[in-house]
Amino acid sequence: MSQFVYVVVQLSVILLIAPLISGIIKKVKALSQKRKGPPVLQLYIDIYKLFRKDTVISDTASWIFRATPYINFTTALLAGILIPVSLKLTPINFGGDIIFIIYILAMGRFFMALSGVDTGSTFGGMGSSREMAISSLIEPTLLVSVFTVGLISKSTSVHDMMSTLSSIGLNIFQPVYIMCFLAMIIVIIAESSRIPVDDPATHLELTMVHEAMLLEYSGKHLALMELGAAVKQLVLITLLVNLFIPLDSLVALDNALLAIGISILLYIVKVAIVSILIALAEINTVKLRLFSVPNLAAISFILSFLGFLQYFVVGGSHG
Amino acid sequence: MNFIDINLHFLLMLGFYICGAIFSLIFIKNSKLGNILSNILYSIASSSGILISLFYLLSNKEYIQLAHIKSNIPFLSFKLGISNLSAYFILTLSILTLCVSIYSIGYMSQYYGKRNISSFNFLFGIFIVSLISVFSSGNMIIFLLAWEVMSLTSYFLVIFESGHTETQKSGTLYLIMTHIATAFLTVAFITTYSYTGSFDIVNNSALIPPFSKNMIFLCLLIGFGTKAGIIPLHIWLPYAHPAAPSNVSALMSGIMIKTSIFGLIQFVFVALGGGFEWWGITLLIVGSISAVLGVAYALMEIDIKRLLAYSSIENTGIILIGLGISIYGFTKGNSLLSSLALVAALIHLFNHSLFKGALFLGAGSVHYSTHTKNMEKLGGLLKKMPYTGLFFLIACLSISSMPFFNGFISEWFTLQALFHSIGISTQGVKLIAILAAAVLAMAGALAAACFVKAFGISFLGLPRSTEAHNSMEVPAPMLMGTGLLSFLCIIFGLFPNVILILLNKISLSIVKTSVIPDLKGISSFVYYPKGLDANKISPMFLFAAGVILAAVVFLVVKLINRGTKERTYGTWDCGFKELNPRMQYTATGFSKPLRIVFRAIYRPSRELQTEEGTSPYYPKTIKYVVLTQSVFEKYLYIPLTGLFTAFSGRVRRLVQTGSVHTYLLYIFITIVGLLIYYRFSNS
């Protein structure tokens, strides 16, 4: 029963909040430019509208093109189930660990890249090629960061990592965590196609990465792809905030239901703060040239590696 | 389970293979009948091979002596026997052979009347028998003999299409490299013999001084490494595999290069008793380098079979990472880590033979139907060859270690082995291990990029040539062979414990401990550092969850968008009149970003030839060629062969003068030398 509750809470929180992040980011960016900007809930409206529209499918495309939106969306949700939004919930029993999460997200990407090539359009191929290149540059960082945290908590399970880190309290202000945190932020920026790696607002052929793969999608398929991208972004942010900003241990209430509610509220606040941070980062940078992205990836790898080195020298400290 | 006589059945299985080989020669006049008959015999033999090895691995037998022929000459005795390890390798071999022989019934039909199929099938049978003999060899002599037969038969199989000079060149390169391997192995074996006085593969390591042990290990590493295709000894692999017919490349890549892993485990763990820490670390480093460079080179290929060949180098690298950690853990006395890593290596070896077999067979089907291996001439095949496409896709997902497919299981184990090894190892090794994990992650992502390219460019989009446009689905036996392998990829991806259970005995006999009891249930396995419930992974349940989620999503989407229509229309062609295949991204273009990022490794060179027309702005023709060099060939092998030829030329002029008098002098000096030696050695 508790597992059923877990899945339902987990899925509904993630699905409900996912489109909000783009809204917050867009709003902050607009405000910084003295514009009013679209309403925060715009993406919800867009997605609903897309679901209600007719769908056009390229006649070159095969079944892969039709299956991809579902696969992409499901893999993102599956990763979402495995990263608890609140430690107060009993985690699910048929768990997968962080390695599984990394690879299930890669599976979504694999199909998305295939669907880009499937339509026979130039843009699709370009997007796929760039997406796969960027992901292979960023993957080592992600693995080293989560391995470092995993080594400290002696486990590769996300729930274990989160509970270990939340038990160390203020000791979280240590180079190892700060480095891994920063490295993960770069990973999130690259994986969720944000400035400076990719510009989600553009449809200019020189700069498109993620959008290029979606170019032939319309209607319900496009809605699923957009929602899938939002969920994936939220999943990565959840991993980040629940690992490195552990506040759940502060919620010490006797009433379990209330504790869960408050910790989810805390989680939403954390996510909102990270979205504002991402927005601020987007305001203050420009999109990098595609061939400067490796430098950014190298920086993120060095950050995570330095984090590992700190663990290596002094070991992970438990408060 | 003692109700079958393994000894008898093993000999029967060999008998079937040899019968198949002989039948193929008998029906030399009717090659069609001969082909079908011998391949059916091979499939029967391999099916019985699967059964025998399964029975053996599930029984409690430790070793079965099959034959022991002694002779008066001290070291000339032949020993055949099945150990736990050899049963596992024979199982892998038999599954692959079964699928390949079914496939060959259809695949060889393209050679009817064109080539000598009966001698091909004869060699094919002998090749498999030699592989089995390598796996069941009881002493080094028979190991070396079987190894040599294996190398020679595979050479003849590689040059089967010997009409092309390219093929002959590839064959020669393979022959040279494989004999360098044999030479180093011979040195290693003779050195061992000189200390232990026996060619048996048993633990005599106490008799060998440490320095010689290290030398023996290096010889084994070079010898087996050449066969395994580790970088920089890999250069024969990307030539030999594409040149061979696809059923042969499937076997070569699927199991033949694994004989070297078998040899390494057999000689390092059994004959040398585990060895030293640095052996494991060396294998770890060599494996990591091979993994990332192998896939990096694979990414640049436009020939689909060369791409697969390079990817075999990557996968051997991953196996070696596991093996390296296993040896390291063993020497450190941490047998649980050692067992985990050994399981990782062995399960990846098994998985690789399944998906690489399927990929090579799939590539063979593509070649069968389009007569090209060049991806720039393929495209849109998924619509023409739906089943081949589906099987190829499954194998691609597997090799890119996507969850729910078997490749993920072995990747998971290897990463867990690395993770655990960081926890327990000493200072420097921690750094190597985390870098190896980073390298493995990168190799995994690059492999995904590589196989998005392999599948996307060849099977999706618009056909890039008339051959691809007119291609048709291949005959049923070919589909069966490929399909069976990709089906197994899914089965072992969802139920990994089915195969993991078999590794229990092997792990127990080699590293004296086994992690298998820690892996519970039929589809979930538990990882041990922290005994939490959440700390496990179960592909089957996750898959079920995924399917349920997908179904719910599908229904919900259907509900929301009811009343909307779906129609097909042309892809947006940027306002040109019609979308044509030349607008698509090419295979070369697909890998361009990574070619630029890693230009230090690839050293790409481009060549632009323009033929000027009336105005310099409108050239008549433009030819653009991008080449990536094989750094190792250019900077290592070509200078080395140059040096070698120059040296031998000089020696020839000095020693082999052509004058009879000089030769007589040589004979005289030799006799005198021998007499002196005889005088002193007797006293």
Side-chain angles (χ1 to χ4, degrees), chain B residues 84-127:
Chain B
N84 295 320
L85 193 64
S86 41
Y88 183 70
F89 276 83
I90 290 174
L91 176 70
T92 315
L93 166 78
S94 301
I95 294 177
L96 191 62
T97 313
L98 174 64
C99 300
V100 169
S101 350
I102 297 173
Y103 179 87
S104 298
I105 296 174
Y107 182 75
M108 295 310 288
S109 66
Q110 60 177 320
Y111 298 112
Y112 286 159
K114 289 182 196 154
R115 302 223 167 248
N116 190 347
I117 297 177
S118 47
S119 64
F120 175 87
N121 277 328
F122 174 74
L123 285 166
F124 189 84
I126 300 300
F127 176 54

Side-chain angles (χ1 to χ4, degrees), chain B residues 464-481:
Chain B
R464 290 177 176 79
S465 66
T466 42
E467 287 89 349
H469 195 266
N470 299 330
S471 60
M472 278 190 302
E473 189 58 282
V474 291
M478 294 173 74
L479 288 180
M480 263 176 72

Side-chain angles (χ1 to χ4, degrees), chain A residues 52 58 66 95 103 122 160, chain B residues 411 532 536 560 566 571 583:
Chain A
R52 298 292 302 140
S58 157
R66 286 162 195 269
Y103 279 93
T122 317
D160 286 358
Chain B
E411 184 98 351
L532 271 191
K536 73 178 183 189
I560 300 178
E566 207 179 281
T571 303
M583 291 176 182

Side-chain angles (χ1 to χ4, degrees), chain A:
Chain A
M1 186 60 204
S2 69
Q3 302 205 345
F4 183 71
V5 172
Y6 169 80
V7 172
V8 170
V9 171
Q10 191 74 20
L11 279 182
S12 40
V13 168
I14 283 182
L15 271 175
L16 284 178
I17 300 180
L20 188 70
I21 300 167
S22 308
I24 296 177
I25 293 176
K26 276 193 184 137
K27 198 73 181 174
V28 173
K29 278 172 88 173
L31 289 177
S32 81
Q33 294 159 351
K34 299 249 163 33
R35 287 189 289 122
K36 234 174 104 188
V40 179
L41 301 180
Q42 184 64 45
L43 193 57
Y44 297 89
I45 304 165
D46 285 351
I47 285 172
Y48 179 72
K49 198 171 167 189
L50 282 172
F51 270 126
R52 298 292 302 140
K53 276 186 175 277
D54 285 359
T55 309
V56 186
I57 290 172
S58 157
D59 49 15
T60 319
S62 62
W63 59 267
I64 291 198
F65 186 77
R66 286 162 195 269
T68 298
Y70 297 98
I71 294 174
N72 190 38
F73 186 62
T74 312
T75 51
L77 280 185
L78 206 53
I81 292 185
L82 297 173
I83 303 181
V85 291
S86 152
L87 284 177
K88 297 288 167 194
L89 291 163
T90 328
I92 197 145
N93 214 349
F94 55 76
D97 58 355
I98 188 72
I99 301 173
F100 178 83
I101 292 168
I102 294 175
Y103 279 93
I104 193 83
L105 289 176
M107 189 170 174
R109 192 193 304 124
F110 190 95
F111 274 95
M112 195 156 67
L114 280 185
S115 72
V117 187
D118 200 9
T119 56
S121 115
T122 317
F123 297 109
M126 184 184 72
S128 309
S129 149
R130 290 178 180 176
E131 173 89 3
M132 295 319 279
I134 291 173
S135 76
S136 35
L137 296 173
I138 217 79
E139 209 81 333
T141 310
L142 183 56
L143 197 85
V144 171
S145 315
V146 296
F147 257 36
T148 307
V149 179
L151 283 166
I152 292 168
S153 45
K154 293 197 171 51
S155 164
T156 52
S157 146
V158 185
H159 187 264
D160 286 358
M161 290 184 193
M162 287 180 180
S163 41
T164 309
L165 258 60
S166 79
S167 71
I168 65 173
L170 283 178
N171 269 330
I172 198 100
F173 291 105
Q174 277 187 45
V176 51
Y177 301 114
I178 296 169
M179 296 287 181
C180 289
F181 178 77
L182 292 174
M184 286 276 284
I185 283 207
I186 297 181
V187 169
I188 290 174
I189 285 173
E191 289 273 338
S192 52
S193 325
R194 305 221 67 96
I195 293 175
V197 175
D198 186 8
D199 188 351
T202 184
H203 277 105
L204 203 66
E205 66 174 280
L206 290 175
T207 53
M208 278 194 290
V209 181
H210 179 77
E211 288 300 316
M213 287 186 287
L214 306 189
L215 215 54
E216 288 297 321
Y217 276 113
S218 59
K220 58 181 179 192
H221 291 152
L222 184 58
L224 276 179
M225 292 299 262
E226 296 276 7
L227 199 56
V231 168
K232 185 183 170 191
Q233 174 174 303
L234 179 66
V235 162
L236 289 167
I237 292 179
T238 310
L239 183 65
L240 181 85
V241 296
N242 278 1
L243 275 182
F244 297 107
I245 319 177
L247 296 176
D248 279 346
S249 55
L250 300 180
V251 187
L253 289 171
D254 291 334
N255 188 338
L257 216 60
L258 201 64
I260 291 174
I262 291 181
S263 71
I264 288 178
L265 272 183
L266 266 177
Y267 159 77
I268 296 174
V269 172
K270 287 189 287 189
V271 168
I273 291 172
V274 170
S275 335
I276 292 171
L277 278 178
I278 291 177
L280 289 177
E282 287 209 348
I283 292 164
N284 290 306
T285 47
V286 286
K287 189 190 168 304
L288 284 175
R289 222 163 57 86
L290 182 66
F291 292 110
S292 302
V293 172
N295 299 341
L296 189 71
I299 291 172
S300 73
F301 182 73
I302 287 168
L303 281 173
S304 64
F305 192 67
L306 286 178
F308 173 79
L309 279 184
Q310 210 250 335
Y311 155 77
F312 170 64
V313 175
V314 295
S317 80
H318 300 252

Side-chain angles (χ1 to χ4, degrees), chain B residues 221 229-232 279-297 310-325 414-415 418 421 429-444 446 601 632:
Chain B
L221 183 65
I230 59 168
I231 286 173
W279 296 9
I281 298 166
T282 309
L283 282 182
L284 180 59
I285 295 171
V286 165
S288 311
I289 293 172
S290 300
V292 74
L293 282 185
V295 69
Y297 283 121
Y310 271 121
S311 135
S312 292
I313 297 174
E314 180 218 351
N315 284 287
T316 325
I318 296 175
I319 298 171
L320 285 180
I321 290 178
L323 194 57
I325 300 171
T414 313
L415 280 171
L418 277 168
S421 74
V429 184
K430 274 193 204 302
L431 281 183
I432 296 173
I434 192 83
L435 286 177
V439 158
L440 198 57
M442 186 173 226
L446 286 174
I601 299 174
F632 295 101

Side-chain angles (χ1 to χ4, degrees), chain A residues 114 117-118, chain B residues 379-380 451-461 464 584:
Chain A
L114 280 185
V117 187
D118 200 9
Chain B
F451 285 94
V452 163
K453 168 180 157 174
F455 184 78
I457 302 289
S458 344
F459 284 90
L460 301 178
R464 290 177 176 79
Q584 295 180 97

Side-chain angles (χ1 to χ4, degrees), chain B residues 284-484:
Chain B
L284 180 59
I285 295 171
V286 165
S288 311
I289 293 172
S290 300
V292 74
L293 282 185
V295 69
Y297 283 121
L299 196 58
M300 290 304 128
E301 284 303 329
I302 54 168
D303 178 320
I304 194 160
K305 283 179 79 180
R306 268 177 78 99
L307 183 148
L308 294 178
Y310 271 121
S311 135
S312 292
I313 297 174
E314 180 218 351
N315 284 287
T316 325
I318 296 175
I319 298 171
L320 285 180
I321 290 178
L323 194 57
I325 300 171
S326 183
I327 293 175
Y328 177 76
F330 190 72
T331 49
K332 292 283 282 183
N334 190 327
S335 47
L336 209 54
L337 169 67
S338 184
S339 169
L340 179 72
L342 187 70
V343 166
L346 288 176
I347 190 79
H348 192 68
L349 180 145
F350 179 78
N351 289 340
H352 179 244
S353 84
L354 292 183
F355 52 66
K356 191 48 72 63
L359 284 170
F360 266 118
L361 295 188
S365 300
V366 169
H367 183 248
Y368 180 91
S369 162
T370 63
H371 305 290
T372 180
K373 291 178 286 184
N374 186 349
M375 285 195 277
E376 308 286 28
K377 290 187 178 150
L378 300 172
L381 293 183
L382 188 61
K383 286 186 172 166
K384 320 270 177 195
M385 311 165 70
Y387 294 108
T388 307
L390 178 66
F391 301 149
F392 199 83
L393 175 65
I394 292 171
C396 282
L397 286 165
S398 242
I399 200 169
S400 320
S401 45
M402 292 302 157
F404 315 131
F405 296 92
N406 63 353
F408 173 71
I409 305 298
S410 32
E411 184 98 351
W412 190 85
F413 267 105
T414 313
L415 280 171
Q416 288 289 8
L418 277 168
F419 182 80
H420 194 51
S421 74
I422 298 170
I424 65 127
S425 54
T426 44
Q427 301 296 312
V429 184
K430 274 193 204 302
L431 281 183
I432 296 173
I434 192 83
L435 286 177
V439 158
L440 198 57
M442 186 173 226
L446 286 174
C450 180
F451 285 94
V452 163
K453 168 180 157 174
F455 184 78
I457 302 289
S458 344
F459 284 90
L460 301 178
L462 289 167
R464 290 177 176 79
S465 66
T466 42
E467 287 89 349
H469 195 266
N470 299 330
S471 60
M472 278 190 302
E473 189 58 282
V474 291
M478 294 173 74
L479 288 180
M480 263 176 72
T482 325
L484 191 56

